[in-house]
Amino acid sequence: MLIVSMLSMIIFFFSNILMLISFFLSKKSNMDREKCSPFECGFDPKSSARIPFSLHFFLITVIFLIFDVEIALIFPMISTFKFTNLIFWTFTSMIFLTILLLGIYHEWNQNMLNWTN
């Protein structure tokens, strides 16, 4: 047990010494102009890179990703139809589809599915 603890202490100190050496020898520049500027295919950007994006477009993409994952969860349900109890399969699939329909109804009520305002 003493050997394991001594070996772990040696490894700990050796790794800390290596991290300190790499920290002092690195050529890190905090305010480099090229690193702070936005990258646009190797050229300087023609306009501001900090333009605001459409929040509505972001919400539509999040809704799409959520329903895309839910579609991916529906596909295994189809393949398990042959191997499970019909009543249990119907009950679980109806609960899952009801939750999906309630979610899309809620988004429709909140006018999240309208692309133009």
Side-chain angles (χ1 to χ4, degrees):
M1 191 66 171
L2 182 65
I3 295 173
V4 173
S5 64
M6 289 296 289
L7 189 60
S8 64
M9 292 295 283
I10 291 171
I11 291 172
F12 176 74
F13 286 123
F14 185 69
S15 63
N16 281 334
I17 288 171
L18 285 177
M19 284 192 296
L20 282 173
I21 290 172
S22 68
F23 177 74
F24 289 122
L25 293 180
S26 68
K27 297 179 183 180
K28 187 175 184 181
S29 172
N30 290 336
M31 293 304 293
D32 189 14
R33 185 183 81 82
E34 291 298 322
K35 287 186 180 179
C36 291
S37 67
F39 182 74
E40 190 174 307
C41 300
F43 301 105
D44 290 330
K46 294 183 180 186
S47 63
S48 175
R50 302 289 180 209
I51 57 174
F53 66 97
S54 171
L55 183 63
H56 194 71
F57 177 76
F58 176 73
L59 291 174
I60 292 288
T61 57
V62 168
I63 290 169
F64 170 75
L65 286 175
I66 290 170
F67 281 103
D68 193 38
V69 169
E70 290 168 350
I71 294 281
L73 292 174
I74 287 175
F75 280 140
M77 248 200 282
I78 297 168
S79 64
T80 60
F81 176 70
K82 292 183 213 174
F83 306 113
T84 60
N85 186 1
L86 183 62
I87 296 170
F88 179 72
W89 184 87
T90 306
F91 182 70
T92 55
S93 62
M94 285 300 145
I95 288 175
F96 186 72
L97 291 176
T98 304
I99 292 171
L100 286 181
L101 290 174
L102 286 174
I104 200 159
Y105 177 72
H106 176 70
E107 289 166 1
W108 187 25
N109 263 350
Q110 298 294 320
N111 289 330
M112 295 300 301
L113 300 178
N114 293 336
W115 182 252
T116 58
N117 290 334

